[in-house]
Amino acid sequence: MISVSSFADSSPYPPLRVECPNPGYAAEMLSNIGACSSEMSTISLYIYNSTILTDRCQELSQIFHKIAMVEMRHLDIFSHLAHMLGADPRLWTCSGKRPCYWSPACNRYPTQTESLLKNALQGEQDAILNYRRQAEQICDAYVVDMLNRIILDEQIHVQIFRELLAEQMQRC
């Protein structure tokens, strides 16, 4: 069995802190928890992938399950940051002035192994770009430190999915 720590960077997460409440930064954290490209979308997709792969490739099923557990930690962190920054940390994001709730309809659900891996890889790469953009725009050192730490985990996920794609998972 693969340990959860092998799917996350070994460095510790910084403390959960913010310099002060900030509605703009809170909205960014809400997008990380409840937008279509969010931790919630990733978790739900990886649980789906884990489930449909159980019978045809137990190892890959377990990999998705373990990565989902790391993503759950990210969801928890971003939820706490959103709350500390002044937002109600529901599974929603801001669309203009209106809240827009997260939906499983946000996800694409490929079922073929190669497509499923490519979809996961693209999602991880998109998350890294989004978190880097946020880290460049946000002027709260605590939030930026956390974003940069989470990026390290996402980079490990990119590496895992690239390796799995290279293997083509023919044995499954």
Side-chain angles (χ1 to χ4, degrees):
M1 182 70 64
I2 302 168
S3 74
V4 174
S5 63
S6 64
F7 296 101
D9 189 80
S10 60
S11 62
Y13 289 90
L16 267 171
R17 295 176 61 183
V18 299
E19 291 176 3
C20 62
N22 183 307
Y25 300 166
E28 289 291 331
M29 296 306 106
L30 287 177
S31 74
N32 294 346
I33 65 175
C36 278
S37 294
S38 68
E39 295 292 338
M40 189 62 215
S41 292
T42 301
I43 294 163
S44 65
L45 182 64
Y46 290 1
I47 290 171
Y48 171 81
N49 292 350
S50 177
T51 302
I52 67 166
L53 290 167
T54 300
D55 293 336
R56 70 181 139 140
C57 185
Q58 186 65 37
E59 180 185 9
L60 190 53
S61 172
Q62 285 299 309
I63 289 170
F64 273 107
H65 180 79
K66 298 295 185 181
I67 295 175
M69 292 171 61
V70 176
E71 303 294 357
M72 285 180 213
R73 183 157 192 195
H74 299 167
L75 177 68
D76 183 60
I77 289 167
F78 286 133
S79 296
H80 279 85
L81 287 174
H83 183 69
M84 294 164 79
L85 289 163
D88 184 354
R90 299 180 191 187
L91 291 178
W92 61 6
T93 190
C94 300
S95 179
K97 297 272 184 192
R98 294 182 34 191
C100 188
Y101 281 94
W102 177 83
S103 167
C106 290
N107 285 335
R108 290 185 24 236
Y109 296 95
T111 58
Q112 298 302 313
T113 304
E114 185 177 347
S115 298
L116 191 145
L117 289 168
K118 286 179 179 178
N119 188 46
L121 175 60
Q122 187 62 56
E124 296 289 346
Q125 291 170 326
D126 291 346
I128 291 168
L129 290 174
N130 183 50
Y131 299 157
R132 282 184 178 150
R133 178 193 56 78
Q134 289 174 342
E136 289 173 4
Q137 294 177 348
I138 291 174
C139 295
D140 182 316
Y142 300 117
V143 176
V144 171
D145 285 348
M146 188 62 78
L147 285 163
N148 287 327
R149 172 56 188 82
I150 289 172
I151 287 169
L152 297 177
D153 291 341
E154 305 298 8
Q155 289 172 329
I156 288 172
H157 303 164
V158 165
Q159 181 181 352
I160 290 168
F161 291 131
R162 282 184 176 152
E163 289 173 14
L164 291 170
L165 272 166
E167 292 174 10
Q168 293 294 309
M169 298 305 293
Q170 293 302 321
R171 59 194 156 112
C172 298

